[in-house]
Amino acid sequence: MATQPHTTVAIALLGALLALAASPALASYRMPPAKSYMHRPPPAKKMSESKVEHVVLLSIDGLHSGDLTWWLANRPMSALAKLAMSGVVYPQAFVKGITDSFPGVLALLTGGSSKSHGVYYDDSYSRDLWCPGTPCNGSKPTGPPGCELVLDESLDYNLSDPNGGRTGINGDSINPANLPLDKDCKPVYPHQLLTANTIFEVAKSAGLRTAWTDKHPAYDLVQGPSGMGVDQLYTPEINTDYMGLDYTHVAEQIPKYDALHAEAISSWALGFDYQGNPQSGWGVPAIFGGNFQTVSVVAKLYSPVAYEADGMTPAASMLTALEEVDGFVGRIAAYVDVAGRTPNTAFIVTAKHGNAPRKASDLQLLPDTLVPNALKAAGVMPAQVTQDTVSLIWLEDASQIAAAVKALEANATALGIAEVIYGPALLEFAGDPATSPTAPHIVTRVIPGVVYVGNPAKHSKAGDHGGLNDDDNHVALLVSKSGQKPMTVTDRVETRQVAPTVLKLLGLDHTKLTACMTEGCDPLPGLSY
Ligand SMILES: *[C@@H]1O[C@H](CO)[C@@H](O)[C@H](O)[C@H]1NC(C)=O
Ligand SMILES: *[C@@H]1O[C@H](CO)[C@@H](O)[C@H](O)[C@H]1NC(C)=O
Ligand SMILES: *[C@@H]1O[C@H](CO)[C@@H](O)[C@H](O)[C@H]1NC(C)=O
């Protein structure tokens, strides 16, 4: 039963939202049903004027540090520039270690690298799991363990369905028949591979609410080892072919996918579920967010180029992508404002990874058979080689590491390799293959510009990520909150410092993050906490 003031608030809210909806940028945006606003719970009592009660965490995948610098300098009226007006920009922010989307997002959520959270790529290998579909004798899998782990759209029930075959909430679109098996013949979900807890789990254990959106149901990963970190995890399938969609190869289509994420995050900002429906006992989550793919997809397309010849200035396609995503960020900020939560909400905008190379003239597409064939020619048997702008190599027999390294180093330039990383140097960001069942034996840093692909003649991409060069790992980072003195902090920082920063902003104990504590757990400098 609405009291008089409550109704007035609801009507004002509705008016503001309709005004937002009428602006051209929002025209294609599906609004939550109007009745929802009447059921909106009253705003929680403010504890103090600008105490942070919510953190919106956004990854603009592919956004380099240089892209953000350019955007802030050239688009002073943009949503990101507005956030920077009460924010700290970190132009020297790097992803530690491998920059596939899996370790990229886990850096933000666990505060650690693959070394501590145990996850290397969406396509990796485990020495102690069995492949999906392995026959079981009673409760025991048959044959020896060891299987490539492909944790992407291939896990879904139905790729032709935009949500992967079920609702797309909390991993329900993952078909267990597509999962690897453990020693008891039980399916292993992506989140079970984590060896470190997440910020969501720490927030949950403090009784707070969490929500996240990502690009495949396989991002069940972000639930953390408990499988319970995220109250609402919304994962529409980016690789669906529903009604001829091809989000990841068509520049004009990918913003439509990002709009699904923007819609969910905006709905959470109002205290609703991802579709804008009131949810009893829900309220605005303490941590919510997700990622945008438009910048990343545009950078990977072979034509047109995403950057001018200097490899820094966004070309037309990238400008459009940046405008789209800036619009999504602005919309989310507007909804936070409509909900009256701006004084109590911090925004963290960063990128899980960049894309390499930015300079089209550096691009060198090499066949992904080169490295595996060089190993086999030297009598080394790889169990799995995962390659984009990197090679991750798991061997059948760990005693062949030296022979493998020798073969790769002997012909490094022809193989596209700048550095072969193994032994103690690899342990800086990866687990010990002698004890971790998922750790690779060797990782390469490629010659900047090298991208391994199935068929170079097809020119199927202009860039990718996963590797260890600057264009892969030197990414945007901006933290904004009410009352923050605007500044640029030029210290070298790592994106994994986002995890303790989120918790500290919320007044939670960041030393509860296990990966972060193993690798060093300093919240980002320069912020007034
Ligand atoms: C199944 O396991 C039982 C008990 O270990 C064993 O005796 C039997 O040979 C196994 N069957 C097959 C087909 O491997
Ligand atoms: C998969 O999803 C599509 C789109 O919703 C649907 O038309 C099709 O029947 C589904 N296939 C199966 C096997 O359920
Ligand atoms: C080095 O790699 C190139 C390209 O694959 C190959 O043609 C050549 O035979 C290799 N040389 C050696 C010494 O392995």
Side-chain angles (χ1 to χ4, degrees), residues 447-463:
I447 295 166
V450 166
V451 183
Y452 298 105
V453 292
N455 179 359
K458 273 175 127 181
H459 291 152
S460 54
K461 34 176 104 148

Side-chain angles (χ1 to χ4, degrees), residues 510-529:
H510 62 275
T511 68
K512 294 212 164 112
L513 289 169
T514 55
C516 195
M517 290 306 281
T518 305
E519 298 183 38
C521 201
D522 295 325
L524 288 164
L527 283 165
S528 52
Y529 287 100

Side-chain angles (χ1 to χ4, degrees), residues 163-521:
N163 289 318
R166 298 289 188 270
T167 66
I169 294 297
N170 293 0
D172 73 345
S173 292
I174 295 176
N175 181 350
N178 297 335
L179 291 170
L181 302 174
D182 69 10
K183 61 177 177 24
D184 300 318
C185 250
K186 295 220 174 71
V188 176
Y189 282 80
H191 73 261
Q192 292 175 277
L193 296 170
L194 261 74
T195 52
N197 64 349
T198 69
I199 55 173
F200 296 132
E201 292 173 308
V202 176
K204 284 284 289 180
S205 67
L208 301 177
R209 204 163 276 281
T210 59
W212 187 254
T213 180
D214 224 306
K215 61 187 176 171
H216 307 294
Y219 278 82
D220 153 72
L221 187 74
V222 305
Q223 291 283 5
S226 68
M228 311 274 282
V230 185
D231 289 302
Q232 189 160 66
L233 173 63
Y234 171 50
T235 54
E237 176 53 71
I238 195 170
N239 288 113
T240 183
D241 58 11
Y242 178 67
M243 310 237 321
L245 283 174
D246 189 358
Y247 291 128
T248 56
H249 298 99
V250 183
E252 292 72 31
Q253 285 192 8
I254 182 65
K256 293 181 190 146
Y257 179 78
D258 278 351
L260 300 172
H261 287 191
E263 176 178 6
I265 299 167
S266 302
S267 296
W268 289 325
L270 295 173
F272 301 136
D273 78 357
Y274 74 110
Q275 287 182 309
N277 296 312
Q279 184 130 308
S280 112
W282 182 253
V284 182
I287 306 172
F288 62 108
N291 59 74
F292 298 116
Q293 297 301 317
T294 300
V295 168
S296 188
V297 165
V298 163
K300 287 164 76 170
L301 295 177
Y302 189 77
S303 172
V305 292
Y307 295 93
E308 302 292 354
D310 62 5
M312 278 164 24
T313 312
S317 63
M318 181 55 81
L319 268 182
T320 305
L322 292 168
E323 272 154 22
E324 293 277 5
V325 173
D326 190 82
F328 292 131
V329 174
R331 180 179 307 167
I332 293 163
Y335 276 68
V336 168
D337 219 31
V338 162
R341 307 307 294 166
T342 298
N344 310 92
T345 303
F347 279 80
I348 302 184
V349 182
T350 182
K352 285 172 194 158
H353 56 75
N355 275 301
R358 281 188 291 167
K359 211 173 196 170
S361 58
D362 286 347
L363 180 66
Q364 197 187 347
L365 296 175
L366 293 180
D368 56 15
T369 45
L370 269 187
V371 168
N373 287 349
L375 293 171
K376 287 177 207 157
V380 174
M381 279 313 296
Q384 165 66 18
V385 182
T386 295
Q387 304 183 97
D388 285 312
T389 57
V390 64
S391 297
L392 275 70
I393 300 165
W394 289 263
L395 300 175
E396 291 284 2
D397 175 359
S399 75
Q400 292 195 308
I401 293 177
V405 168
K406 194 172 159 214
L408 299 177
E409 286 181 343
N411 203 4
T413 307
L415 299 174
I417 296 172
E419 188 184 357
V420 181
I421 306 169
Y422 61 100
L426 184 54
L427 298 184
E428 293 290 314
F429 60 86
D432 184 347
T435 50
S436 157
T438 53
H441 296 103
I442 298 170
V443 172
T444 67
R445 188 168 65 74
V446 298
I447 295 166
V450 166
V451 183
Y452 298 105
V453 292
N455 179 359
K458 273 175 127 181
H459 291 152
S460 54
K461 34 176 104 148
D464 211 325
H465 52 268
L468 306 166
N469 286 314
D470 264 22
D471 282 347
D472 295 277
N473 64 19
H474 187 185
V475 295
L477 179 56
L478 158 64
V479 183
S480 175
K481 68 188 188 71
S482 174
Q484 173 66 48
K485 185 168 166 278
M487 61 177 143
T488 298
V489 172
T490 56
D491 304 17
R492 187 187 161 106
V493 297
E494 290 178 334
T495 55
R496 60 183 197 85
Q497 289 176 263
V498 164
T501 302
V502 170
L503 296 183
K504 187 153 183 181
L505 285 168
L506 291 168
L508 300 174
D509 181 2
H510 62 275
T511 68
K512 294 212 164 112
L513 289 169
T514 55
C516 195
M517 290 306 281
T518 305
E519 298 183 38
C521 201

